[in-house]
Amino acid sequence: MTRLAAPGRGDTHCPYCALQCGMRLTGTTVESRDFPTNRGGLCQKGWTAAELLRTPARLTTPLVRVDGELRPASWDTAVDLVAAKLARSRDVHGADSVAVFGGGGLTNEKAYLLGKFARVALGTAQIDYNGRFCMSSAAAAGMRAFGLDRGMPFPIDDLARSAAVLLVGANPAETMPPFLQHLTGTLIVIDPRRTATAERAHLHLRPRPGTDLALALGILHAVVADGHYRGDYAAERTAGFDAAWRIAAAWWPERVERVTGVAASDQRRAAALLAGARTAHILTGRGTEQHSNGTDSVGAWINLALALGLPGTPGSGYGCLTGQGNGQGGREHGQKADQLPGYRKITDPDARAYVASVWGVPPESLPGPGRSAYELLDSLGRDDGPRALLVFGSNVVVSAPNAGHIADRLSTLDLLVVADFVLSETAALADVVFPVTQWAEEGGTMTNLEGRVLLRSTAIAAPEGVRSDLDLLRDLAIRLGQPEQRFPADPEVVFDELRRASRGGPADYSGVTYQRLRDGDQLHWPVPTTEHPGTPRMFLDSFAHPDGRARFAAVDYTGPAEPVDDEYPLLATTGRVLQHYQSGAQTRLVAELADAEPEVFVQVHPDTAARVGVGDRGRARVVSRRGETEAVVRCDPTMRLDTVFLPFHFPGAQRANLLTNPALDPYSRMPEFKVCAVRLEPS
């Protein structure tokens, strides 16, 4: 097992994406650090990350709403108030009248303790997190195909040696720029827009938004019809090809061209480039996942990878680019509605019994699965829904689909509690706001996009008056009647319990220790013992299904949930820009980033803009069936005539998610963020 240099004083990791670039803080100055994911590089967000630590918007005292206004209060006053109201709601309306909403940026320790707090201290089934809006379709497809979900089941170094990479629905040139240095072979990009990543591609395929699944079927058809199918690999290591092929056989590239707009010749060229490469990878991102058929769309790309013999083959593979900083670890340890620590299913009696034994509670006391993220938010304040909500590490007023409706649901609650370091748009609506520590002020582990468990150490002291989420959960749990020792606040103590709770589960962290991480051990889960070197490459011998075989998925194209019509003739798609991250609650506070991208824009083809009477740098309204957004027009001749693009980082009337469709994938419960019908009109 190779080791990294042991972390030094001030060594930490970037607070943003799942690349988790290594950095060093000297005071509040960022320096780059050599780490396998970033190799000394940082993006503009990373270089300016220390600005967050001294923002004037920082909260340093709890806030309690009195006569309609948020006013400063002591910690004891705020915690007492929240605990009393939670207990009353639970006693009067039942445990499920209280809900918890977490985040994919929380440390493993926080995600773990949050799930435990919901199910033990509150007794509620109503817990989910914003990762449902990020990785859930890829996770569901990975579980179905491989029996296990780890976003990239190989180390990032493998990509640098890959002769060809197919990148579907991802724009890492803007979302995680240091990642690009790992893409050294032939690059094929599938994206409706000519993004900064697509500019670097050897081949760029531009499907109509919402038609990715049809395109995957067309390329699979070309692989088989042109003699590239790895029948030997499929016979030895997979099951289900015949059923998948019966569908793909009807999607010849010329038919797919009529649906997607991608030339049949380019589909065949993509198939040939992948098949002819000595080693190859297929990587998916949010662009192909955030659809009402996102699980099937990802399943179709996995089918293509299996037909080419990539997964579980040294130097090749399929992977998903995790988005949020702890998007991988955040979905493994219990803050998801259907899950217990170690990626165990909450409906599994053996899993319930084991985790309950670690927690010291009867298995029958644990609730069953709750609602998924959007369904949970949509149920707030209804007769059968929660009356109180606790939010950790998420800004749902900006990030949720159909965002105006979600803000309305929040307004119906008896109690809204938010833990944050600034007054985010969601915190501004709360009844109680708790000021909590930031990334550099606390210890804890994160699990990056390649399944690598890494340790964040405290680099600077938190301001006076600020406490960690773990402290808050402990204080609330004690006031709700839990024994003090059941909810520790020390991250290393919490992690040691997480290790025990994950032991024997699909995501087994039991062999990971803080000391091993401090010593520089490179540990990719599963790590079942403290002597185990970790598992950087999965599936080399077998897949995680009982028979050891991967599964082809019999998936067919159905199209977006919301078709265009005369009233809404355009397709809107959303995404990120280089300077901002997620809901923008962090990056909009950094002057350099906010000055570079100060407001929402709509990117549109000049001819499309001219048809509706709007011009470049003017203002326009983008209107969907759910709401409207006012945006600055950016005319771009590389855009498709039928498509407009908006970034989703901005608040208030600039929210792109006022437009988006909450239609849900039947398996992952992922909303259809990436395509909705809109019209463009002068402002």
Side-chain angles (χ1 to χ4, degrees):
M1 179 182 65
T2 58
R3 283 188 171 181
L4 299 169
R9 183 176 177 83
D11 285 357
T12 184
H13 294 269
C14 181
Y16 295 116
C17 78
L19 208 56
Q20 284 297 286
C21 296
M23 61 169 56
R24 180 173 297 113
L25 280 179
T26 303
T28 52
T29 300
V30 169
E31 300 174 11
S32 64
R33 181 164 63 94
D34 191 26
F35 191 71
T37 57
N38 62 308
R39 297 176 175 173
L42 292 172
C43 73
Q44 190 177 11
K45 293 186 291 292
W47 284 117
T48 58
E51 294 297 316
L52 289 170
L53 303 172
R54 50 179 177 260
T55 175
R58 185 71 187 270
L59 298 176
T60 57
T61 186
L63 302 175
V64 173
R65 192 170 297 279
V66 179
D67 296 330
E69 294 185 3
L70 286 171
R71 299 178 182 176
S74 71
W75 270 89
D76 282 344
T77 296
V79 174
D80 286 344
L81 174 67
V82 170
K85 290 193 172 187
L86 293 176
R88 182 179 185 279
S89 185
R90 184 180 60 183
D91 293 344
V92 174
H93 303 291
D96 281 352
S97 69
V98 179
V100 178
F101 200 93
L106 301 177
T107 63
N108 289 318
E109 292 80 1
K110 292 179 185 179
Y112 169 80
L113 207 67
L114 196 62
K116 180 182 178 183
F117 174 81
R119 293 173 176 115
V120 175
L122 295 174
T124 182
Q126 304 308 315
I127 176 171
D128 211 69
Y129 79 126
N130 65 14
R132 182 77 68 171
F133 300 156
C134 182
M135 287 289 300
S136 57
S137 289
M143 292 292 288
R144 184 167 66 184
F146 308 124
L148 188 64
D149 158 49
R150 198 180 87 188
M152 277 173 44
F154 47 82
I156 200 167
D157 290 344
D158 283 6
L159 293 175
R161 296 186 288 271
S162 189
V165 174
L166 174 64
L167 191 58
V168 188
N171 181 21
E174 296 193 76
T175 60
M176 50 176 68
F179 180 81
L180 289 182
Q181 64 190 304
H182 300 284
L183 304 179
T184 59
T186 298
L187 179 61
I188 307 163
V189 171
I190 296 176
D191 198 304
R193 296 192 302 135
R194 190 163 181 79
T195 63
T197 305
E199 292 280 357
R200 298 168 175 260
H202 298 81
L203 177 63
H204 176 204
L205 310 184
R206 300 175 60 199
R208 188 172 189 260
T211 64
D212 290 30
L213 203 163
L215 182 56
L217 292 169
I219 299 174
L220 175 60
H221 186 110
V223 163
V224 177
D226 295 346
H228 304 309
Y229 171 56
R230 283 286 309 278
D232 54 340
Y233 169 95
E236 182 180 350
R237 303 207 59 189
T238 74
F241 171 75
D242 290 345
W245 174 242
R246 276 194 292 272
I247 297 170
W251 286 95
W252 55 93
E254 287 76 13
R255 180 190 178 193
V256 170
E257 179 177 345
R258 293 194 295 271
V259 172
T260 65
V262 176
S265 59
D266 283 342
Q267 296 173 51
R268 293 189 173 97
R269 185 181 172 202
L273 286 172
L274 288 170
R278 177 178 49 82
T279 54
H281 288 83
I282 294 175
L283 303 176
T284 60
R286 305 300 83 72
T288 200
E289 298 161 12
Q290 290 179 323
H291 295 276
S292 58
N293 62 353
T295 301
D296 284 352
S297 291
V298 177
W301 295 114
I302 293 175
N303 284 353
L304 177 61
L306 292 171
L308 292 166
L310 305 182
T313 297
S316 295
Y318 161 80
C320 169
L321 297 184
T322 306
Q324 295 187 78
N326 199 31
Q328 181 69 59
R331 67 181 184 270
E332 296 168 358
H333 296 301
Q335 63 172 334
K336 193 163 167 277
D338 55 357
Q339 181 201 87
L340 289 171
Y343 226 140
R344 290 179 163 95
K345 293 183 182 299
I346 200 167
T347 53
D348 179 353
D350 291 338
R352 292 170 63 86
Y354 177 74
V355 173
S357 72
V358 174
W359 289 349
V361 299
E364 61 273 14
S365 71
L366 299 180
R371 297 176 174 95
S372 72
Y374 183 81
E375 292 165 304
L376 174 58
L377 296 172
D378 181 53
S379 73
L380 297 175
R382 301 189 190 279
D383 289 343
D384 62 342
R387 306 170 72 96
L389 176 68
L390 286 74
V391 179
F392 291 79
S394 190
N395 187 14
V396 295
V397 170
V398 177
S399 63
N402 199 9
H405 171 69
I406 295 306
D408 289 342
R409 298 318 312 160
L410 291 173
S411 71
T412 67
L413 289 168
D414 296 337
L415 177 68
L416 174 60
V417 180
V418 176
D420 212 328
F421 76 100
V422 294
L423 200 66
S424 69
E425 287 71 29
T426 304
L429 301 178
D431 299 294
V432 180
V433 182
F434 289 104
V436 291
T437 48
Q438 286 198 66
W439 55 286
E441 301 162 353
E442 59 186 7
T445 59
M446 307 283 279
T447 306
N448 77 347
L449 79 174
E450 51 182 351
R452 179 195 301 266
V453 185
L454 49 89
L455 180 64
R456 278 184 181 171
S457 298
T458 303
I460 63 171
E464 185 177 352
V466 172
R467 300 183 186 177
S468 76
D469 299 273
L470 299 179
D471 286 319
L472 174 57
L473 291 172
R474 178 197 59 194
D475 290 350
L476 285 172
I478 292 170
R479 284 166 170 82
L480 289 168
Q482 293 295 311
E484 183 173 352
Q485 67 276 11
R486 184 169 285 164
F487 285 87
D490 181 280
E492 189 164 2
V493 175
V494 176
F495 188 77
D496 283 342
E497 184 178 302
L498 180 158
R499 292 172 55 214
R500 296 195 302 276
S502 74
R503 181 174 291 126
D508 191 335
Y509 281 46
S510 59
V512 183
T513 66
Y514 271 37
Q515 191 57 53
R516 293 187 73 182
L517 297 175
R518 292 186 186 111
D519 290 342
D521 286 4
Q522 298 192 63
L523 300 175
H524 302 71
W525 70 261
V527 190
T529 70
T530 53
E531 292 76 36
H532 194 279
T535 314
R537 294 173 183 84
M538 305 183 78
F539 311 138
L540 295 179
D541 299 316
S542 66
F543 295 97
H545 287 298
D547 62 2
R549 293 175 175 268
R551 304 284 193 268
F552 280 89
V555 295
D556 204 351
Y557 171 72
T558 55
E562 183 175 70
V564 296
D565 57 21
D566 291 342
E567 187 176 3
Y568 302 99
L570 299 172
L571 297 167
T573 189
T574 64
R576 285 167 49 187
V577 296
L578 173 65
Q579 289 80 11
H580 290 297
Y581 178 71
Q582 302 299 80
S583 74
Q586 296 164 285
T587 50
R588 285 186 273 113
L589 298 174
V590 178
E592 178 181 325
L593 304 179
D595 290 346
E597 288 289 2
E599 59 184 337
V600 73
F601 61 85
V602 56
Q603 189 177 23
V604 59
H605 192 282
D607 292 351
T608 304
R611 280 201 300 270
V612 297
V614 299
D616 190 42
R617 303 300 166 179
R619 301 192 77 84
R621 282 197 299 270
V622 188
V623 185
S624 80
R625 292 178 174 89
R626 288 154 296 281
E628 64 179 58
T629 298
E630 185 170 310
V632 174
V633 176
R634 290 189 185 176
C635 289
D636 184 341
T638 71
M639 286 291 291
R640 290 179 56 99
L641 289 165
D642 60 1
T643 301
V644 300
F645 167 81
L646 300 95
F648 57 76
H649 313 292
F650 300 95
Q654 299 186 61
R655 285 173 287 174
N657 279 319
L658 292 170
L659 308 172
T660 47
N661 188 357
L664 301 180
D665 180 285
Y667 307 104
S668 67
R669 315 309 288 168
M670 165 76 83
E672 189 153 76
F673 285 101
K674 279 297 184 277
V675 58
C676 66
V678 301
R679 67 174 180 266
L680 191 66
E681 58 187 38
S683 175

